[in-house]
Amino acid sequence: MEFAIFLVLLVILCVLMASSGQSFFSNKRDDTDPPNDVSGMRLFIDYRTGCHYLGNPMGGITPRFDANGDQICDPKAGSR
């Protein structure tokens, strides 16, 4: 009986995780990923400023910098 309850809760949890559109465990690739792998990071872009931020599965977020140490920002964003 306890195993059946556990199994039902596990199935519900799996359905909820699969139905959420913001999973860090997806295999969608972006330009933060190395060749032939996924970084586990999530790319956020501020729609007003165009500045890039990286998020991790634990909830942390940090600005995304280029090789020169400048924050990456799309120049055309924020203009109306």
Coordinates of all heavy atoms in Angstrom, one line a residue:
M1 N 0.8 -1.2 0.0 CA 0.0 0.0 0.0 C 0.9 1.3 0.0 O 0.6 2.2 -0.7 CB -0.9 0.0 1.2 CG -1.8 1.1 1.3 SD -3.0 1.2 0.0 CE -3.9 2.6 0.4
E2 N 1.9 1.3 0.9 CA 2.8 2.5 0.9 C 3.5 2.6 -0.4 O 3.7 3.8 -0.8 CB 3.8 2.3 2.1 CG 3.1 2.4 3.4 CD 4.1 2.2 4.5 OE1 5.3 2.1 4.3 OE2 3.7 2.2 5.7
F3 N 3.9 1.5 -1.0 CA 4.6 1.6 -2.3 C 3.7 2.2 -3.4 O 4.1 2.9 -4.2 CB 5.1 0.2 -2.7 CG 5.9 0.2 -4.0 CD1 7.1 0.8 -4.1 CD2 5.3 -0.3 -5.2 CE1 7.8 0.8 -5.3 CE2 6.0 -0.2 -6.4 CZ 7.2 0.3 -6.4
A4 N 2.4 1.8 -3.4 CA 1.5 2.3 -4.3 C 1.3 3.8 -4.2 O 1.3 4.6 -5.2 CB 0.1 1.6 -4.2
I5 N 1.3 4.3 -3.0 CA 1.1 5.8 -2.7 C 2.4 6.5 -3.2 O 2.3 7.5 -3.9 CB 0.9 6.1 -1.2 CG1 -0.5 5.5 -0.8 CG2 1.0 7.5 -0.9 CD1 -0.8 5.6 0.6
F6 N 3.5 5.9 -2.9 CA 4.8 6.5 -3.4 C 4.9 6.5 -4.9 O 5.3 7.5 -5.5 CB 6.0 5.6 -2.8 CG 7.3 6.0 -3.4 CD1 8.0 7.1 -3.0 CD2 7.9 5.2 -4.4 CE1 9.2 7.5 -3.6 CE2 9.1 5.5 -5.0 CZ 9.7 6.7 -4.6
L7 N 4.4 5.4 -5.5 CA 4.4 5.4 -7.0 C 3.5 6.4 -7.6 O 3.9 7.1 -8.6 CB 4.0 4.0 -7.5 CG 4.2 3.7 -8.9 CD1 5.7 3.8 -9.3 CD2 3.8 2.2 -9.2
V8 N 2.3 6.6 -7.0 CA 1.4 7.6 -7.5 C 2.0 9.0 -7.4 O 1.9 9.8 -8.3 CB 0.0 7.5 -6.8 CG1 -0.9 8.7 -7.1 CG2 -0.7 6.2 -7.2
L9 N 2.6 9.3 -6.2 CA 3.2 10.6 -6.0 C 4.4 10.8 -7.0 O 4.6 11.9 -7.5 CB 3.7 10.7 -4.6 CG 2.6 10.8 -3.5 CD1 3.2 10.8 -2.1 CD2 1.7 12.1 -3.8
L10 N 5.1 9.8 -7.3 CA 6.2 9.9 -8.2 C 5.8 10.2 -9.6 O 6.3 11.0 -10.3 CB 7.1 8.6 -8.2 CG 8.3 8.6 -9.1 CD1 9.3 9.6 -8.6 CD2 8.9 7.2 -9.0
V11 N 4.7 9.5 -10.0 CA 4.1 9.8 -11.3 C 3.6 11.2 -11.4 O 3.8 11.9 -12.4 CB 3.0 8.8 -11.7 CG1 2.2 9.2 -12.9 CG2 3.6 7.4 -11.8
I12 N 2.9 11.7 -10.4 CA 2.4 13.1 -10.4 C 3.6 14.1 -10.5 O 3.5 15.0 -11.2 CB 1.6 13.3 -9.1 CG1 0.3 12.6 -9.2 CG2 1.3 14.8 -8.9 CD1 -0.6 12.6 -7.9
L13 N 4.6 13.8 -9.7 CA 5.8 14.7 -9.8 C 6.4 14.7 -11.2 O 6.8 15.8 -11.7 CB 6.8 14.3 -8.7 CG 8.1 15.1 -8.7 CD1 7.8 16.5 -8.3 CD2 9.1 14.4 -7.7
C14 N 6.5 13.6 -11.8 CA 7.1 13.5 -13.1 C 6.3 14.2 -14.1 O 6.8 14.9 -15.0 CB 7.3 12.0 -13.6 SG 8.6 11.2 -12.7
V15 N 4.9 14.1 -14.0 CA 4.0 14.8 -14.9 C 4.2 16.3 -14.7 O 4.2 17.1 -15.7 CB 2.6 14.4 -14.7 CG1 1.6 15.3 -15.5 CG2 2.4 12.9 -15.2
L16 N 4.2 16.8 -13.5 CA 4.4 18.2 -13.2 C 5.7 18.8 -13.8 O 5.8 19.8 -14.3 CB 4.3 18.5 -11.7 CG 2.9 18.3 -11.1 CD1 3.0 18.5 -9.6 CD2 1.9 19.3 -11.7
M17 N 6.8 18.0 -13.6 CA 8.1 18.4 -14.1 C 8.1 18.5 -15.6 O 8.7 19.4 -16.2 CB 9.2 17.5 -13.6 CG 9.5 17.8 -12.1 SD 10.8 16.7 -11.5 CE 12.2 17.2 -12.5
A18 N 7.5 17.5 -16.2 CA 7.4 17.4 -17.7 C 6.6 18.5 -18.3 O 6.9 19.0 -19.4 CB 6.9 16.1 -18.2
S19 N 5.5 18.9 -17.6 CA 4.6 20.0 -18.1 C 5.1 21.4 -17.9 O 4.7 22.3 -18.5 CB 3.3 19.8 -17.5 OG 3.3 20.1 -16.1
S20 N 6.1 21.6 -17.0 CA 6.6 22.9 -16.8 C 7.6 23.3 -17.9 O 8.4 22.5 -18.3 CB 7.4 23.0 -15.4 OG 8.6 22.4 -15.5
G21 N 7.4 24.5 -18.5 CA 8.1 24.9 -19.7 C 9.5 25.4 -19.3 O 10.3 25.7 -20.2
Q22 N 9.9 25.5 -18.0 CA 11.1 26.1 -17.6 C 12.0 25.1 -16.9 O 12.4 25.3 -15.8 CB 10.9 27.3 -16.8 CG 10.1 28.4 -17.5 CD 10.0 29.6 -16.7 OE1 10.6 29.8 -15.7 NE2 9.1 30.5 -17.1
S23 N 12.3 24.0 -17.6 CA 13.1 23.0 -16.9 C 14.6 23.2 -17.3 O 15.0 23.5 -18.4 CB 12.7 21.6 -17.5 OG 13.5 20.6 -17.0
F24 N 15.4 23.1 -16.3 CA 16.9 23.2 -16.5 C 17.4 21.8 -17.0 O 18.6 21.7 -17.3 CB 17.6 23.5 -15.2 CG 17.6 25.0 -14.9 CD1 16.7 25.5 -14.0 CD2 18.4 25.9 -15.5 CE1 16.6 26.9 -13.7 CE2 18.4 27.2 -15.3 CZ 17.5 27.7 -14.4
F25 N 16.6 20.8 -17.0 CA 17.0 19.5 -17.4 C 16.7 19.2 -18.8 O 16.8 18.1 -19.2 CB 16.4 18.4 -16.4 CG 16.7 18.7 -15.0 CD1 15.7 19.2 -14.2 CD2 18.0 18.5 -14.5 CE1 16.0 19.5 -12.8 CE2 18.3 18.8 -13.2 CZ 17.3 19.3 -12.3
S26 N 16.3 20.2 -19.6 CA 16.0 19.9 -21.0 C 17.4 19.9 -21.8 O 18.4 20.3 -21.3 CB 15.1 21.0 -21.5 OG 15.8 22.2 -21.6
N27 N 17.3 19.4 -23.0 CA 18.5 19.3 -23.8 C 18.5 20.4 -24.9 O 19.2 20.2 -25.9 CB 18.6 17.9 -24.4 CG 17.4 17.6 -25.3 OD1 16.5 18.3 -25.4 ND2 17.4 16.4 -25.9
K28 N 17.8 21.4 -24.7 CA 17.8 22.5 -25.6 C 19.2 23.2 -25.5 O 19.7 23.5 -24.5 CB 16.7 23.6 -25.3 CG 15.4 23.0 -25.5 CD 14.3 24.0 -25.2 CE 12.9 23.5 -25.4 NZ 11.9 24.4 -25.0
R29 N 19.8 23.5 -26.7 CA 21.1 24.0 -26.7 C 21.0 25.5 -27.0 O 20.1 26.0 -27.7 CB 22.0 23.4 -27.8 CG 22.2 21.9 -27.5 CD 23.0 21.2 -28.6 NE 24.3 21.9 -28.8 CZ 25.4 21.8 -28.0 NH1 25.4 21.1 -27.0 NH2 26.5 22.5 -28.4
D30 N 22.0 26.3 -26.5 CA 22.1 27.7 -26.8 C 23.6 28.0 -27.0 O 24.4 27.1 -26.9 CB 21.4 28.6 -25.8 CG 21.9 28.4 -24.4 OD1 23.1 28.2 -24.2 OD2 21.2 28.6 -23.5
D31 N 23.9 29.3 -27.1 CA 25.3 29.6 -27.4 C 26.2 29.6 -26.1 O 27.4 30.0 -26.2 CB 25.5 30.9 -28.2 CG 25.0 32.1 -27.4 OD1 24.4 32.0 -26.4 OD2 25.2 33.3 -27.9
T32 N 25.7 29.2 -25.0 CA 26.5 29.1 -23.8 C 27.0 27.7 -23.7 O 27.8 27.4 -22.8 CB 25.6 29.3 -22.5 OG1 24.6 28.4 -22.4 CG2 25.0 30.7 -22.5
D33 N 26.6 26.8 -24.6 CA 27.0 25.4 -24.5 C 28.3 25.1 -25.3 O 28.5 25.7 -26.3 CB 25.9 24.5 -25.1 CG 24.6 24.6 -24.4 OD1 24.6 24.7 -23.2 OD2 23.5 24.6 -25.0
P34 N 29.1 24.2 -24.7 CA 30.3 23.8 -25.4 C 30.0 22.8 -26.5 O 28.8 22.3 -26.5 CB 31.2 23.1 -24.3 CG 30.2 22.6 -23.3 CD 29.0 23.6 -23.3
P35 N 30.9 22.6 -27.5 CA 30.6 21.6 -28.5 C 30.2 20.2 -27.9 O 30.9 19.8 -27.0 CB 31.8 21.5 -29.3 CG 32.6 22.8 -29.0 CD 32.2 23.2 -27.6
N36 N 29.2 19.6 -28.5 CA 28.8 18.2 -28.1 C 28.4 18.1 -26.6 O 28.5 17.0 -26.1 CB 30.0 17.3 -28.4 CG 30.4 17.3 -29.8 OD1 29.6 17.4 -30.7 ND2 31.7 17.3 -30.0
D37 N 27.9 19.1 -26.0 CA 27.5 19.0 -24.6 C 26.5 20.2 -24.3 O 26.3 21.0 -25.1 CB 28.7 19.1 -23.7 CG 28.4 18.5 -22.3 OD1 27.3 18.0 -22.1 OD2 29.3 18.6 -21.4
V38 N 25.9 20.1 -23.2 CA 25.1 21.3 -22.7 C 25.7 21.8 -21.4 O 26.2 21.0 -20.6 CB 23.6 20.9 -22.5 CG1 22.9 20.7 -23.8 CG2 23.4 19.7 -21.6
S39 N 25.7 23.1 -21.2 CA 26.4 23.7 -20.1 C 25.6 23.6 -18.8 O 26.1 23.7 -17.7 CB 26.7 25.2 -20.3 OG 25.4 25.9 -20.4
G40 N 24.3 23.4 -18.9 CA 23.4 23.5 -17.7 C 23.0 24.9 -17.3 O 22.3 25.1 -16.4
M41 N 23.6 25.9 -18.0 CA 23.2 27.3 -17.7 C 22.0 27.6 -18.5 O 21.7 27.0 -19.5 CB 24.4 28.2 -18.1 CG 25.7 27.9 -17.3 SD 25.6 28.1 -15.5 CE 25.6 29.8 -15.4
R42 N 21.3 28.7 -18.1 CA 20.2 29.2 -18.8 C 20.5 30.7 -19.2 O 20.9 31.4 -18.3 CB 18.9 29.1 -18.0 CG 17.7 29.5 -18.8 CD 16.5 29.0 -18.1 NE 15.3 29.6 -18.8 CZ 14.2 29.8 -18.3 NH1 14.0 29.4 -17.0 NH2 13.2 30.2 -19.0
L43 N 20.2 31.0 -20.4 CA 20.5 32.4 -20.9 C 19.3 33.2 -20.7 O 18.2 32.9 -21.2 CB 21.0 32.4 -22.3 CG 21.3 33.7 -23.0 CD1 22.4 34.4 -22.3 CD2 21.6 33.5 -24.5
F44 N 19.4 34.4 -20.0 CA 18.3 35.3 -19.9 C 18.8 36.6 -20.6 O 19.9 37.0 -20.5 CB 18.1 35.7 -18.4 CG 17.6 34.5 -17.6 CD1 18.5 33.7 -16.9 CD2 16.2 34.2 -17.6 CE1 18.0 32.6 -16.2 CE2 15.8 33.1 -16.8 CZ 16.7 32.3 -16.1
I45 N 17.9 37.3 -21.3 CA 18.2 38.6 -21.9 C 17.1 39.6 -21.5 O 15.9 39.3 -21.7 CB 18.2 38.4 -23.5 CG1 19.3 37.4 -23.9 CG2 18.5 39.8 -24.1 CD1 19.3 37.1 -25.4
D46 N 17.6 40.7 -20.9 CA 16.7 41.7 -20.5 C 16.1 42.4 -21.7 O 16.8 42.9 -22.5 CB 17.4 42.7 -19.6 CG 16.6 43.8 -19.0 OD1 15.8 44.5 -19.8 OD2 16.6 44.0 -17.8
Y47 N 14.8 42.4 -21.9 CA 14.2 42.9 -23.1 C 14.3 44.4 -23.2 O 14.4 44.9 -24.4 CB 12.7 42.5 -23.2 CG 11.8 43.4 -22.3 CD1 11.2 44.5 -22.9 CD2 11.6 43.1 -21.0 CE1 10.3 45.3 -22.1 CE2 10.7 43.9 -20.2 CZ 10.1 45.0 -20.8 OH 9.3 45.7 -20.0
R48 N 14.5 45.1 -22.2 CA 14.6 46.5 -22.3 C 16.1 47.0 -22.5 O 16.3 47.8 -23.4 CB 14.1 47.2 -21.0 CG 14.1 48.7 -21.1 CD 13.4 49.3 -20.0 NE 12.0 49.0 -20.2 CZ 11.0 49.7 -19.7 NH1 11.2 50.7 -19.0 NH2 9.7 49.3 -19.9
T49 N 17.0 46.4 -21.8 CA 18.4 46.8 -22.0 C 19.2 45.9 -23.0 O 20.2 46.4 -23.5 CB 19.2 46.7 -20.7 OG1 19.2 45.3 -20.2 CG2 18.5 47.6 -19.6
G50 N 18.7 44.7 -23.3 CA 19.4 43.8 -24.1 C 20.6 43.1 -23.5 O 21.3 42.4 -24.1
C51 N 20.8 43.3 -22.2 CA 21.9 42.7 -21.5 C 21.7 41.3 -21.2 O 20.5 40.9 -20.9 CB 22.2 43.5 -20.2 SG 22.8 45.2 -20.5
H52 N 22.7 40.5 -21.3 CA 22.6 39.0 -21.1 C 23.0 38.7 -19.6 O 23.9 39.3 -19.0 CB 23.6 38.3 -22.0 CG 23.3 38.4 -23.4 ND1 23.6 37.4 -24.3 CD2 22.6 39.4 -24.2 CE1 23.2 37.8 -25.5 NE2 22.6 39.0 -25.4
Y53 N 22.3 37.6 -19.1 CA 22.5 37.1 -17.8 C 22.5 35.6 -17.9 O 21.8 35.0 -18.7 CB 21.5 37.6 -16.8 CG 21.5 39.1 -16.6 CD1 20.7 39.9 -17.5 CD2 22.3 39.7 -15.7 CE1 20.7 41.3 -17.3 CE2 22.3 41.1 -15.5 CZ 21.5 41.8 -16.4 OH 21.5 43.2 -16.2
L54 N 23.3 34.9 -17.0 CA 23.3 33.5 -17.0 C 22.7 33.0 -15.7 O 23.1 33.5 -14.6 CB 24.8 33.0 -17.1 CG 25.4 33.2 -18.4 CD1 26.9 32.8 -18.4 CD2 24.7 32.5 -19.6
G55 N 21.8 32.0 -15.7 CA 21.2 31.5 -14.6 C 21.7 30.0 -14.4 O 21.9 29.3 -15.4
N56 N 21.7 29.5 -13.2 CA 22.0 28.1 -13.0 C 20.8 27.4 -12.4 O 19.9 28.0 -11.9 CB 23.3 27.9 -12.2 CG 23.2 28.4 -10.8 OD1 22.1 28.3 -10.2 ND2 24.3 28.9 -10.2
P57 N 20.9 26.0 -12.3 CA 19.7 25.3 -11.8 C 19.4 25.5 -10.3 O 18.3 25.3 -9.9 CB 20.2 23.8 -12.0 CG 21.2 23.9 -13.1 CD 21.9 25.2 -13.0
M58 N 20.4 26.0 -9.6 CA 20.2 26.3 -8.2 C 19.5 27.7 -7.9 O 19.3 28.0 -6.8 CB 21.5 26.2 -7.4 CG 22.1 24.8 -7.5 SD 21.1 23.5 -6.9 CE 21.1 23.9 -5.2
G59 N 19.3 28.5 -9.0 CA 18.7 29.7 -8.8 C 19.6 31.0 -8.9 O 19.1 32.1 -8.8
G60 N 20.9 30.8 -9.0 CA 21.8 31.9 -9.1 C 21.7 32.6 -10.4 O 21.3 31.9 -11.4
I61 N 22.0 33.8 -10.5 CA 22.1 34.6 -11.8 C 23.2 35.5 -11.7 O 23.6 36.1 -10.7 CB 20.7 35.3 -12.0 CG1 20.7 35.8 -13.4 CG2 20.4 36.3 -11.0 CD1 19.3 36.2 -13.9
T62 N 23.9 35.7 -12.9 CA 25.1 36.6 -13.0 C 25.1 37.2 -14.3 O 24.6 36.6 -15.3 CB 26.4 35.8 -12.7 OG1 27.4 36.7 -12.6 CG2 26.6 34.8 -13.7
P63 N 25.7 38.4 -14.4 CA 25.8 39.0 -15.8 C 26.7 38.2 -16.6 O 27.6 37.5 -16.2 CB 26.5 40.4 -15.5 CG 26.2 40.7 -14.0 CD 26.1 39.3 -13.4
R64 N 26.5 38.2 -17.9 CA 27.3 37.5 -18.9 C 28.4 38.4 -19.5 O 28.0 39.5 -20.0 CB 26.5 36.9 -20.0 CG 27.2 36.0 -20.9 CD 26.2 35.4 -22.0 NE 26.9 34.5 -22.9 CZ 26.5 34.2 -24.0 NH1 25.3 34.6 -24.4 NH2 27.2 33.3 -24.8
F65 N 29.6 38.0 -19.4 CA 30.7 38.9 -19.8 C 31.4 38.3 -21.1 O 31.5 37.1 -21.2 CB 31.8 39.1 -18.7 CG 31.2 39.8 -17.5 CD1 30.9 39.1 -16.3 CD2 31.0 41.1 -17.5 CE1 30.4 39.7 -15.2 CE2 30.5 41.8 -16.4 CZ 30.2 41.1 -15.3
D66 N 32.0 39.2 -21.9 CA 32.7 38.7 -23.0 C 34.2 38.5 -22.6 O 34.6 38.7 -21.5 CB 32.6 39.7 -24.2 CG 33.2 41.1 -23.9 OD1 33.9 41.3 -22.9 OD2 32.9 42.0 -24.7
A67 N 35.0 38.2 -23.6 CA 36.5 37.9 -23.3 C 37.2 39.2 -22.8 O 38.2 39.0 -22.1 CB 37.1 37.4 -24.6
N68 N 36.7 40.4 -23.0 CA 37.3 41.6 -22.5 C 36.8 42.0 -21.2 O 37.3 43.0 -20.6 CB 37.1 42.8 -23.5 CG 37.8 42.5 -24.9 OD1 38.8 41.9 -24.9 ND2 37.1 42.9 -25.9
G69 N 35.9 41.3 -20.6 CA 35.4 41.6 -19.3 C 34.2 42.6 -19.3 O 33.8 43.1 -18.3
D70 N 33.7 42.9 -20.5 CA 32.5 43.8 -20.6 C 31.2 42.9 -20.7 O 31.2 41.9 -21.3 CB 32.6 44.6 -21.9 CG 33.8 45.5 -22.0 OD1 34.1 46.1 -20.9 OD2 34.5 45.6 -23.0
Q71 N 30.2 43.5 -20.1 CA 28.9 42.7 -20.1 C 28.4 42.7 -21.5 O 28.4 43.7 -22.2 CB 27.9 43.3 -19.1 CG 26.6 42.5 -19.1 CD 25.6 43.0 -18.1 OE1 25.8 44.0 -17.5 NE2 24.6 42.2 -17.9
I72 N 27.9 41.5 -21.9 CA 27.3 41.4 -23.2 C 25.9 42.0 -23.3 O 25.0 41.6 -22.5 CB 27.2 39.9 -23.6 CG1 28.7 39.3 -23.7 CG2 26.5 39.7 -25.0 CD1 28.7 37.8 -23.9
C73 N 25.7 43.0 -24.1 CA 24.4 43.6 -24.3 C 24.1 43.8 -25.8 O 25.0 44.2 -26.5 CB 24.4 45.0 -23.6 SG 24.5 44.9 -21.8
D74 N 22.9 43.5 -26.2 CA 22.6 43.7 -27.6 C 22.3 45.2 -27.8 O 21.5 45.8 -27.1 CB 21.3 42.9 -28.0 CG 21.5 41.4 -27.8 OD1 22.7 40.9 -28.1 OD2 20.6 40.7 -27.6
P75 N 23.0 45.8 -28.8 CA 22.9 47.3 -29.0 C 21.6 47.8 -29.4 O 21.2 48.9 -29.1 CB 24.0 47.6 -30.0 CG 24.2 46.3 -30.7 CD 23.9 45.2 -29.7
K76 N 20.8 47.0 -30.1 CA 19.5 47.5 -30.6 C 18.3 47.3 -29.6 O 17.3 47.8 -29.8 CB 19.1 46.8 -31.9 CG 20.1 47.1 -33.0 CD 19.7 46.4 -34.3 CE 20.7 46.7 -35.4 NZ 20.3 46.1 -36.6
A77 N 18.5 46.6 -28.5 CA 17.5 46.4 -27.5 C 17.2 47.7 -26.8 O 18.1 48.5 -26.6 CB 17.9 45.3 -26.5
G78 N 16.0 47.9 -26.3 CA 15.6 49.0 -25.5 C 15.2 50.2 -26.4 O 14.6 51.1 -25.9
S79 N 15.5 50.2 -27.7 CA 15.1 51.3 -28.5 C 13.6 51.1 -28.9 O 13.2 50.0 -29.1 CB 16.0 51.4 -29.7 OG 15.9 50.2 -30.5
R80 N 12.9 52.2 -28.9 CA 11.5 52.1 -29.3 C 11.2 52.8 -30.6 O 11.7 53.7 -31.0 CB 10.6 52.7 -28.2 CG 10.8 51.9 -26.9 CD 9.9 52.6 -25.9 NE 10.2 52.0 -24.6 CZ 9.3 51.3 -23.9 NH1 8.1 51.2 -24.2 NH2 9.7 50.8 -22.7

